[in-house]
């Protein structure tokens, strides 16, 4: 299959590869997918508890080039955003940015899931109530 | 962290891209092309034209090809039927026998790693009231002879088991299978597309009744194949699946593809003459590739038996690296993968699954199909490049990292999606 230039660029030069200390309270970890499905993404964020800004994001992905590119792009996009802003990222935004074909849409879904899972983990660790935050963004 | 692009040096004499997917199709041997050329131009006759020299010339060429093919597999030329390829040969064999022997029985035995041209043909016959047993394979890809023996009953008319598998190159024990079939009075068909011309196949010694082969897997042209149908001890009959002018002794109507047939014949002649030396050469290259990969990489896994295997086949899993991402990194090398991500259905290879491999191992598989025109310099480049990219992708792999940290991946609750 033919890949878009942006997928190739992220594949060749993946951004923010690595890991953050899972045990830290500032860090949220999302591990999504399953080896049997051929795709596992781990996305981690380090959040400033004062500002709720994602100051650092790291990923590692087992999956196709589109999955690698989707997670790489996801880390780029969430860095510097508040957790609530990061939650606004939709898989369709990733599909559009990377020009993913229909068979690769699930790779972008996985990246969105990974963002949500990482943020969910961070919230759980820091006892941030989901509902309170949801209300806060509905302005 | 590093990039995934590679700067492995290309050795002198190697031009990119490198073709190493000879199970999918093989390049046409220049000697084959040369033999075919006149039959596209001046010698264009219809082999069925009985009353002028154009027809006689074409018919003569077809008969020569029939003999070349027969000689390669130990048959007689009258036992060779020309088809459009092995898909048609398999359809004709299985459907034609099922129809012809319907009164004797309705049971067919095959096995799970067959090519779709056999499996889907059997599935269709199930709709028409035939009973099909799909034998499992062992972890090494071979069937268990006891399973076959047990599956046979008094309604069994046909056993169809491939000689060599197209993904893992595993050679089934066709001689024993044929022997058992003959003891039981059951017809034995083998899809020998990947085996013919690569390893010795002899219809007499191997007790084969019906055999499918294809031009484009033996450095011949695409769109032409043959079916061997035994004429004595026992005489096998096949009901035609294509009706028309009664060509090929009524078994397969249609004007013969003379240039293609000439090419197939020439390809078989070359294969017969060069098979032994070529097999030794390919085995050497294949083992070199395997040794290099295994010495530089951990968590690699050869899929299927190494002992019972085509000389030019290597199917390896680079665990914790997904196959399509690996193909993307080695895009100057043409190989294929059993990964779901490369398939339209997003299902990993059913052949690898049949070996009992976890899906994660199937996802990581690469099939290297070495052929006549591959060189040692190419093998060295391929090995270096694969090693380089696998290492880089493993730096990106959360699974590899976890395993290295001693985490048991099977104990993790993966979120199914
Ligand atoms: C084992 C096997 N059987 C059958 C076929 C089909 O052959 P053809 O392409 O000539 O129809 C192939 C090739 O894809 C094959 O590998
Ligand atoms: S991870 Fe399988 S298609 Fe992307």
């Amino acid at each position: 299959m033919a890949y878009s230039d942006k997928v190739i660029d992220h594949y060749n030069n993946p951004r923010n590869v690595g890991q953050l200390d899972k045990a830290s309270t500032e860090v949220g970890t999302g591990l999504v997918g399953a080896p049997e499905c051929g795709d596992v993404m781990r996305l981690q964020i380090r959040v400033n508890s004062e500002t709720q800004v994602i100051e650092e994001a790291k990923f590692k992905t087992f999956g196709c080039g589109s999955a690698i590119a989707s997670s790489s792009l996801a880390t780029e996009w969430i860095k510097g955003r508040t957790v609530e802003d990061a939650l606004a990222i939709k898989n369709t935004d990733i599909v559009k940015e990377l020009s993913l074909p229909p068979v690769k849409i699930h790779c972008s879904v996985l990246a969105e899931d990974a963002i949500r899972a990482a943020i969910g983990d961070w919230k759980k660790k820091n006892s941030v109530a989901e509902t309170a935050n949801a209300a806060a963004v509905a302005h | 962290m590093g990039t995934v692009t590679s700067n492995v040096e290309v050795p002198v004499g190697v031009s990119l891209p490198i073709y190493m997917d000879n199970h999918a199709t093989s390049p046409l041997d220049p000697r084959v092309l040369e033999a075919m050329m006149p039959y596209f131009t001046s010698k264009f006759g219809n082999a069925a034209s009985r009353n002028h020299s154009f027809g006689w010339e074409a018919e003569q060429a077809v008969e020569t090809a029939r003999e070349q093919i027969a000689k390669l597999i130990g048959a007689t030329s009258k036992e060779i039927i020309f088809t459009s390829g092995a898909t048609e040969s398999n359809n004709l064999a299985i459907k034609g026998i099922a129809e012809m022997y319907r009164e004797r029985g309705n049971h067919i035995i095959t096995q799970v790693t067959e090519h779709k041209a056999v499996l889907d043909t059997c599935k269709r016959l199930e709709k028409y009231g035939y009973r099909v047993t799909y034998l499992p394979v062992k972890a090494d890809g071979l069937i268990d002879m006891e399973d076959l023996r047990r599956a046979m009953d008094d309604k069994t008319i046909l056993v169809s088991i491939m000689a060599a598998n197209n993904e893992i190159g595993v050679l089934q024990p066709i001689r024993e299978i044929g022997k058992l079939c003959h003891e039981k009075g059951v017809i034995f068909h083998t899809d020998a597309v990947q085996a013919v011309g690569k390893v010795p196949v002899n219809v007499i010694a191997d007790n084969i009744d019906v055999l499918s082969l294809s031009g484009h897997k033996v450095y011949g042209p695409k769109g032409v194949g043959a079916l061997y149908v035994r004429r004595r001890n026992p005489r096998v009959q096949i009901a035609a699946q294509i009706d028309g002018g009664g060509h090929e002794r009524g078994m397969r109507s249609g004007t013969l593809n003379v240039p293609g047939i000439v090419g197939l014949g020439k390809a078989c002649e070359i294969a017969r003459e060069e098979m032994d030396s070529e097999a030794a050469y390919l085995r050497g290259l294949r083992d070199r590739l395997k040794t290099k990969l295994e010495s530089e990489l951990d968590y690699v896994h050869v899929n299927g038996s190494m002992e019972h295997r085509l000389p030019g086949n290597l199917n390896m899993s680079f665990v914790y690296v997904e196959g399509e991402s690996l193909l993307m990194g080695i895009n100057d090398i043409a190989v294929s993968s059993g990964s779901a991500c490369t398939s339209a259905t997003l299902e990993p290879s059913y052949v690898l699954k049949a070996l009992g491999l976890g899906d994660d191992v199937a996802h990581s598989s690469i099939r290297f199909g070495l052929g006549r025109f591959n060189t040692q310099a190419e093998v060295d480049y391929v090995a270096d490049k694969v090693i380089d990219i696998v290492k880089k992708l493993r730096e990106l792999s959360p699974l590899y990292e976890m395993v290295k940290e001693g985490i048991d991946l099977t104990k993790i609750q993966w979120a199914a999606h």
Side-chain angles (χ1 to χ4, degrees):
Chain A
M1 69 168 284
Y3 303 94
S4 70
D5 290 344
K6 281 184 180 156
V7 169
I8 292 170
D9 179 44
H10 278 281
Y11 174 87
N12 286 339
N13 303 291
R15 332 285 201 257
N16 308 309
V17 177
Q19 71 169 317
L20 301 172
D21 178 14
K22 219 171 141 175
S24 161
T25 49
E26 292 186 314
V27 172
T29 300
L31 183 66
V32 297
E36 298 79 53
C37 307
D39 41 31
V40 174
M41 255 177 218
R42 187 187 64 202
L43 193 142
Q44 294 181 300
I45 50 172
R46 193 170 53 72
V47 183
N48 182 323
S49 50
E50 294 290 302
T51 58
Q52 304 226 336
V53 168
I54 298 172
E55 295 188 330
E56 208 176 353
K58 294 280 183 200
F59 86 96
K60 281 200 180 189
T61 290
F62 164 81
C64 72
S66 304
I68 291 171
S70 296
S71 35
S72 171
L73 177 67
T75 58
E76 237 182 2
W77 276 357
I78 60 176
K79 248 166 89 171
R81 291 203 196 197
T82 64
V83 289
E84 296 314 324
D85 278 355
L87 284 172
I89 295 170
K90 292 276 166 290
N91 86 289
T92 45
D93 304 332
I94 296 172
V95 169
K96 218 165 128 194
E97 174 70 12
L98 297 176
S99 316
L100 298 180
V103 287
K104 297 295 178 186
I105 287 174
H106 74 273
C107 314
S108 69
V109 172
L110 208 60
E112 184 189 319
D113 288 351
I115 297 173
R116 291 178 182 280
I119 292 174
D121 182 54
W122 174 81
K123 282 186 174 173
K124 212 162 79 190
K125 274 185 184 170
N126 293 276
S127 321
V128 180
E130 294 281 342
T131 41
N133 271 284
V137 282
H139 46 234
Chain B
M1 197 124 346
T3 61
V4 178
T5 36
S6 158
N7 31 34
V8 172
E9 214 176 297
V10 184
V12 271
V14 171
S15 61
L16 300 176
I18 294 169
Y19 189 75
M20 211 172 267
D21 200 14
N22 286 277
H23 303 302
T25 193
S26 52
L28 195 74
D29 190 300
R31 294 168 288 181
V32 172
L33 178 62
E34 197 189 333
M36 291 169 70
M37 284 307 279
Y39 296 91
F40 286 114
T41 52
S42 57
K43 304 183 180 185
F44 58 83
N46 184 330
S49 296
R50 289 288 150 82
N51 39 20
H52 50 65
S53 64
F54 294 89
W56 302 332
E57 193 173 52
E59 192 193 7
Q60 185 52 49
V62 167
E63 291 318 308
T64 301
R66 233 186 267 284
E67 275 160 30
Q68 289 166 319
I69 297 160
K71 210 164 167 190
L72 176 62
I73 59 170
T76 62
S77 61
K78 283 195 173 132
E79 296 172 309
I80 305 298
I81 306 290
F82 289 111
T83 65
S84 63
T87 298
E88 186 190 336
S89 295
N90 287 338
N91 271 267
L92 174 56
I94 296 168
K95 290 174 183 164
I97 289 166
E99 185 180 331
M100 191 60 96
Y101 294 88
R102 182 69 167 111
E103 272 164 28
R104 198 193 281 178
N106 70 339
H107 182 223
I108 295 168
I109 301 172
T110 184
Q111 59 91 23
V112 289
T113 68
E114 291 292 319
H115 192 269
K116 289 285 182 190
V118 167
L119 292 176
D120 288 356
T121 300
C122 288
K123 276 201 203 112
R124 184 176 298 277
L125 287 175
E126 282 184 281
K127 284 191 202 143
Y128 298 149
Y130 290 84
R131 222 166 16 97
V132 180
T133 301
Y134 301 89
L135 298 175
V137 293
K138 298 178 286 184
D140 62 3
L142 274 75
I143 65 157
D144 185 334
M145 286 302 294
E146 272 314 303
D147 287 345
L148 175 59
R149 195 183 294 275
R150 270 195 299 271
M152 287 179 165
D153 60 35
D154 59 357
K155 289 278 183 263
T156 309
I157 50 174
L158 172 67
V159 168
S160 179
I161 308 273
M162 70 199 326
N165 184 269
N166 44 300
E167 287 189 34
I168 52 178
V170 163
L171 305 173
Q172 295 292 350
I174 49 170
R175 185 167 298 188
E176 286 171 61
I177 296 167
K179 186 161 172 276
L180 179 61
C181 289
H182 283 181
E183 281 165 22
K184 303 273 183 184
V186 173
I187 297 169
F188 175 39
H189 164 251
T190 187
D191 173 348
V193 167
Q194 298 287 347
V196 163
K198 315 292 167 58
V199 289
V201 175
N202 183 294
V203 293
I204 305 296
D206 295 329
N207 309 303
I208 297 163
D209 297 321
V210 186
L211 174 149
S212 305
L213 61 89
S214 180
H216 71 107
K217 311 283 183 169
V218 289
Y219 312 98
K222 293 169 181 59
V224 62
L227 186 67
Y228 156 79
V229 184
R230 187 185 273 271
R231 297 243 298 172
R232 37 193 310 186
N233 307 319
R235 178 184 176 80
V236 176
Q237 288 178 289
I238 289 193
Q241 302 300 306
I242 295 181
D243 296 309
H247 308 74
E248 299 298 277
R249 294 189 291 120
M251 272 187 262
R252 202 278 193 179
S253 287
T255 297
L256 291 178
N257 166 10
V258 178
I261 287 168
V262 167
L264 174 57
K266 184 67 186 175
C268 287
E269 183 185 82
I270 296 169
R272 189 173 59 80
E273 286 164 358
E274 300 182 357
M275 179 162 47
D276 291 348
S277 58
E278 189 170 299
Y281 173 69
L282 290 179
R283 193 170 288 116
L285 289 186
R286 191 266 317 272
D287 291 347
R288 184 182 178 92
L289 178 61
K290 176 171 174 282
T291 305
K292 276 177 177 273
L293 295 171
E294 283 176 338
S295 66
E296 285 288 324
L297 296 169
D298 53 3
Y299 303 105
V300 294
H301 183 276
V302 174
N303 301 311
S305 167
M306 267 319 285
E307 188 189 347
H308 305 280
R309 197 184 197 95
L310 289 172
N313 176 278
L314 182 64
N315 190 307
M316 234 182 196
S317 288
F318 301 90
V319 190
Y320 314 125
V321 169
E322 188 281 315
E324 186 184 305
S325 68
L326 179 50
L327 292 185
M328 195 171 164
I330 56 169
N331 61 0
D332 51 4
I333 302 166
V335 290
S336 61
S337 168
S339 166
C341 305
T342 60
S343 75
T345 56
L346 293 177
E347 280 292 322
S349 150
Y350 66 91
V351 172
L352 297 178
K353 286 184 80 169
L355 304 183
L357 293 173
D359 278 0
D360 48 343
V361 179
H363 283 297
S364 307
S365 75
I366 299 287
R367 174 184 72 178
F368 301 93
L370 290 144
R372 181 176 291 167
F373 302 108
N374 287 122
T375 64
Q376 184 170 309
E378 287 179 337
V379 164
D380 290 349
Y381 175 75
V382 169
D384 289 346
K385 182 97 182 205
V386 170
I387 290 164
D388 188 48
I389 299 294
V390 167
K391 284 185 175 167
K392 285 174 173 160
L393 287 170
R394 280 180 174 171
E395 283 178 22
L396 246 66
S397 169
L399 302 177
Y400 187 69
E401 182 195 287
M402 288 186 231
V403 166
K404 281 288 179 186
E405 286 173 356
I407 298 169
D408 182 352
L409 296 180
T410 61
K411 297 268 155 57
I412 293 180
Q413 278 283 315
W414 299 104
H417 66 108

